[in-house]
Amino acid sequence: MVAPLSAWPWENLGVFKYLLYGPLAAKVLYSWIYEDSIKDLWCLHILVICALRGLIHQLWSSYSTTLFLTRNRRIKPEGVDFKQIDREWDWDNFLILHALLAYMACLIFPSLDDLPLWNPKGFITLLFLHVTVSEPLYYWAHRYFHEGYLFTHYHSLHHSSSVTHPYTAGHATFLEHLILCIVIGIPMAASIMMGCGSTSMVYGYVSAFDFLRCLGHSNVEVVPHEVFIKLPFLKYFLYTPTYHSLHHTEMGTNFCLFMPLFDAMGNTVNRNSWQLHKKISSDSAKNGRVPDFVFLAHGVDLTSSMHAPFVFRSFASVPFSTRIFLLPLLPVAFLVMLIMWAWSKTFLVSFYNLRGHLHQTWVVPRFGFQYFLPFAMEGINKRIEEAILRADRIGVKVISLAALNKNEALNGGGTLFVEKHPDLKVRVVHGNTLTAAVILNEIPKDVEEVFLTGATSKLGRAIALYLCRRRVRVLMLTLSTERFQKIQREAPADCQNYLVQVTKYQAAQNCKTWIVGKWITPRQQSWAPSGTHFHQFVVPPILAFRRDCTYGDLAAMRLPDDVKGLGSCEYTMERGVVHACHAGGVVHQLEGWTHHEVGAIDVDRIDIVWKAALKHGLRPVSSM
């Protein structure tokens, strides 16, 4: 049975919960349209304050997940996983609650409309009441919530987040936020009733309150330890993220709201608080843990740039799709793209842990269209080379190149870097061997004929040679007889007849297995017979034009179940699924292979890499 006041009244409404702001918005719009001025001015203030509070949480979320800035300041090194993100999805419920209670207060006390904009006495009174009333009230309420029934049925929800995040500050039960509303409301209400309140006081106090709550839950230490060395008394008047993080780790200590003074008075200060804070603050200037594996990705387009974890955490935790309400942010994304083009270097965007190994994703600050600009290619290669050399310098074991970062025309599938730097200790991997294995293992064993576009590409060549060894007839679409014959000569003499050059799509009108490695238009797809399945390794994927056919996704594999700290999706992939070239680098690192995987695909290794992937718990993601 659910404990009283533990569930939110609107928890089953989903996104429709935001309609609860409707009465406030309606009053503002009515006054604005039909009256000379907005009479119920505090309805507007409440909406603005809620938006401001949401923005504060969002900015703190963005900062704490901007790993290239905060990676060495993180208190708990683990990542926030999908389960925690889902639990905290409705972190903003408390904003609705506070807005409704504030609206009720406005209806009861219409004199609030007469508050002045500024009154310095109000700030002094409010600060005094916060220290003497709110801080001790919260401290004792918090301590009681850590006991027996109250903890089990109420406060345990807040502590279910093992790694704190700014959204964790809002993740609590209905009863807890009712009490928090009392804590935050007493200083404001009392100041107003004493005649020294002001509009700026309300805005300032609520903003500062949320700012400090987010700071404490950010999991990033931002307070320099030198401050407490020069001003020792200050450590009792301002908590730090480390201080509050210890409360989530060792729950019998550090109960205060913002002021450790009350923990000191209640003898509940964690003895490691200041030492751990000094250590984390001091170590922030040092390099953190070296990853064992790096996946070197790149941007796809401007809309997908908003899918980064440090932009919107919730969107990054689900497969990418274009959201119309984000389109107004495209000008900002375009400006950021120009800034990155001019100044940015490769940066860390996400990480996870797999069996004691740290795996990171770095991003080359370039988008898909830039890879096809001749004048931009040199700069892109320079960025990729810098990332490889940095990985080599810090001790990374394997670095895997994403789709366009290993483009044949750009750097020969990574060959350029390996030949230029023959003493590299880091292994450079294009991951195409596993990509080929994934595609080949999607093809049913009884298939006798396939149609292959992009047939003379790196992947196309490997797929054709592998299939002809299986006595599968491969219709290779290419206009270059020279390139076709070169690939054909690589096949065993008794298998060469299984490779057939075709120059038109009409040649595949009776073939129901298409492997697409080059973009094909809806008109070209029309030559496929009904029931055809389109396997593909073309970026971007082809349009699903035919309703009587089926379309496979890009080659991908699901990471092992014991992956930890994974909380973002890789572009359009499902949760826990990564592109095959990413997975290929993972296998390379887990196997401890010491060779580079660049240039042409070794067809003899396709089955070896596939078996190694399955051995380590990676699973195919087939759409068949």
Side-chain angles (χ1 to χ4, degrees):
M1 182 177 176
V2 178
L5 299 179
S6 62
W8 290 87
W10 48 80
E11 67 178 14
N12 294 322
L13 294 181
V15 295
F16 293 106
K17 68 183 182 181
Y18 297 111
L19 293 177
L20 294 172
Y21 289 114
L24 289 162
K27 276 214 166 194
V28 172
L29 288 174
Y30 182 85
S31 296
W32 183 36
I33 296 173
Y34 296 105
E35 299 176 357
D36 295 335
S37 61
I38 301 176
K39 292 184 177 180
D40 297 306
L41 192 58
W42 269 102
C43 290
L44 177 60
H45 284 314
I46 292 170
L47 291 174
V48 173
I49 288 172
C50 285
L52 180 61
R53 299 180 76 182
L55 179 61
I56 289 170
H57 282 77
Q58 172 58 46
L59 291 176
W60 267 107
S61 173
S62 294
Y63 173 72
S64 66
T65 49
T66 306
L67 298 175
F68 57 89
L69 295 176
T70 63
R71 64 184 183 277
N72 294 335
R73 292 182 174 272
R74 291 177 62 82
I75 299 162
K76 292 193 71 173
E78 295 86 359
V80 175
D81 59 19
F82 292 119
K83 290 182 180 179
Q84 179 174 334
I85 292 173
D86 287 343
R87 283 196 303 268
E88 297 177 352
W89 197 271
D90 292 312
W91 63 271
D92 59 346
N93 275 337
F94 78 98
L95 295 179
I96 299 175
L97 172 64
H98 291 187
L100 295 177
L101 292 177
Y103 182 44
M104 290 173 58
C106 291
L107 294 176
I108 297 171
F109 302 104
S111 59
L112 288 173
D113 287 334
D114 299 325
L115 282 182
L117 177 63
W118 174 262
N119 188 341
K121 292 181 181 179
F123 286 92
I124 298 172
T125 305
L126 182 137
L127 181 60
F128 175 78
L129 291 170
H130 174 84
V131 173
T132 58
V133 179
S134 294
E135 287 283 350
L137 177 60
Y138 180 89
Y139 173 80
W140 285 108
H142 195 180
R143 285 192 66 170
Y144 282 123
F145 268 108
H146 272 264
E147 296 179 3
Y149 180 87
L150 288 176
F151 182 81
T152 302
H153 293 89
Y154 296 95
H155 199 50
S156 59
L157 178 70
H158 180 70
H159 279 275
S160 64
S161 299
S162 57
V163 181
T164 57
H165 181 274
Y167 292 161
T168 308
H171 178 56
T173 57
F174 184 66
L175 176 62
E176 289 178 280
H177 275 296
L178 278 174
I179 293 173
L180 190 66
C181 190
I182 295 172
V183 170
I184 193 174
I186 287 176
M188 290 189 294
S191 297
I192 292 171
M193 285 189 289
M194 285 188 283
C196 50
S198 66
T199 305
S200 57
M201 179 197 74
V202 175
Y203 273 84
Y205 183 58
V206 172
S207 299
F209 196 95
D210 281 358
F211 181 90
L212 291 174
R213 292 259 300 162
C214 289
L215 178 145
H217 289 87
S218 67
N219 194 41
V220 178
E221 189 50 75
V222 297
V223 182
H225 70 281
E226 292 87 355
V227 172
F228 296 142
I229 294 175
K230 295 180 179 178
L231 302 171
F233 69 91
L234 192 59
K235 65 184 180 182
Y236 293 106
F237 291 92
L238 178 66
Y239 79 160
T240 67
T242 302
Y243 187 92
H244 190 70
S245 181
L246 277 171
H247 169 72
H248 280 257
T249 305
E250 304 174 26
M251 290 185 287
T253 59
N254 295 9
F255 294 103
C256 76
L257 179 56
F258 306 131
M259 298 174 62
L261 172 66
F262 292 92
D263 277 310
M265 294 169 62
N267 197 30
T268 54
V269 175
N270 191 301
R271 289 177 295 179
N272 297 322
S273 298
W274 318 124
Q275 292 87 339
L276 183 60
H277 171 258
K278 182 178 180 181
K279 181 181 183 302
I280 293 173
S281 179
S282 301
D283 290 349
S284 63
K286 303 176 183 177
N287 290 324
R289 180 182 171 187
V290 175
D292 299 284
F293 163 72
V294 167
F295 178 56
L296 188 61
H298 56 77
V300 179
D301 52 42
L302 291 181
T303 53
S304 68
S305 66
M306 288 176 275
H307 192 247
F310 55 80
V311 181
F312 296 111
R313 186 185 78 164
S314 56
F315 297 157
S317 69
V318 295
F320 169 76
S321 62
T322 302
R323 292 173 172 82
I324 296 176
F325 61 88
L326 289 179
L327 295 182
L329 295 177
L330 278 178
V332 178
F334 181 77
L335 178 62
V336 172
M337 181 270 294
L338 293 178
I339 293 172
M340 289 198 304
W341 199 348
W343 292 293
S344 180
K345 296 182 179 180
T346 300
F347 57 91
L348 169 65
V349 69
S350 65
F351 71 95
Y352 59 86
N353 288 275
L354 182 61
R355 298 169 190 170
H357 302 288
L358 177 60
H359 292 187
Q360 292 182 346
T361 296
W362 297 357
V363 173
V364 175
R366 297 294 183 271
F367 292 88
F369 77 93
Q370 294 169 295
Y371 283 77
F372 300 97
L373 302 176
F375 62 84
M377 294 176 68
E378 183 180 350
I380 292 172
N381 267 336
K382 183 179 179 181
R383 291 287 175 262
I384 298 171
E385 182 179 11
E386 288 173 350
I388 292 173
L389 293 177
R390 177 187 165 203
D392 185 67
R393 185 171 60 253
I394 65 177
V396 176
K397 296 181 177 66
V398 175
I399 184 168
S400 180
L401 307 179
L404 296 177
N405 286 333
K406 60 189 176 191
N407 187 288
E408 192 70 24
L410 185 67
N411 51 49
T415 306
L416 172 68
F417 310 116
V418 172
E419 291 179 349
K420 185 176 180 180
H421 303 283
D423 297 327
L424 285 174
K425 296 183 181 65
V426 64
R427 303 294 92 179
V428 181
V429 175
H430 56 42
N432 284 338
T433 309
L434 185 57
T435 302
V438 170
I439 296 169
L440 290 164
N441 281 277
E442 285 181 353
I443 300 173
K445 300 299 181 184
D446 58 350
V447 166
E448 297 180 352
E449 183 180 72
V450 303
F451 176 61
L452 178 63
T453 74
T456 60
S457 65
K458 188 182 304 180
L459 271 167
R461 165 194 163 273
I463 290 169
L465 290 173
Y466 186 96
L467 288 174
C468 78
R469 293 182 184 183
R470 278 176 40 184
R471 301 299 194 270
V472 176
R473 190 166 182 261
V474 183
L475 306 178
M476 301 176 62
L477 180 68
T478 177
L479 297 176
S480 175
T481 302
E482 179 183 353
R483 296 179 70 178
F484 166 76
Q485 291 177 345
K486 182 179 178 182
I487 294 173
Q488 190 180 44
R489 286 193 294 270
E490 290 187 68
D494 60 338
C495 299
Q496 291 182 0
N497 290 336
Y498 288 92
L499 299 180
V500 180
Q501 180 185 10
V502 297
T503 58
K504 295 182 179 180
Y505 287 89
Q506 293 91 315
Q509 57 188 329
N510 296 315
C511 180
K512 291 190 174 182
T513 302
W514 284 38
I515 305 175
V516 182
K518 184 179 180 180
W519 177 265
I520 56 176
T521 65
R523 186 173 185 277
Q524 291 164 339
Q525 292 179 38
S526 66
W527 289 103
S530 179
T532 295
H533 182 77
F534 293 92
H535 304 269
Q536 52 185 322
F537 58 92
V538 59
V539 179
I542 61 175
L543 298 173
F545 172 71
R546 297 278 300 275
R547 293 186 177 181
D548 58 341
C549 298
T550 54
Y551 294 78
D553 295 320
L554 294 177
M557 295 202 80
R558 188 175 298 279
L559 292 171
D561 292 333
D562 55 347
V563 64
K564 296 179 180 179
L566 182 63
S568 59
C569 291
E570 194 164 282
Y571 196 40
T572 57
M573 300 295 170
E574 298 175 11
R575 288 181 168 184
V577 175
V578 296
H579 291 88
C581 53
H582 182 153
V586 171
V587 174
H588 207 96
Q589 185 267 314
L590 292 176
E591 280 289 304
W593 287 330
T594 57
H595 64 279
H596 294 291
E597 183 190 314
V598 294
I601 297 173
D602 184 350
V603 181
D604 293 328
R605 289 194 58 83
I606 291 177
D607 286 335
I608 296 173
V609 173
W610 178 252
K611 291 176 181 177
L614 297 180
K615 180 183 77 174
H616 287 289
L618 284 89
R619 303 189 303 279
V621 182
S622 176
S623 58
M624 291 290 287

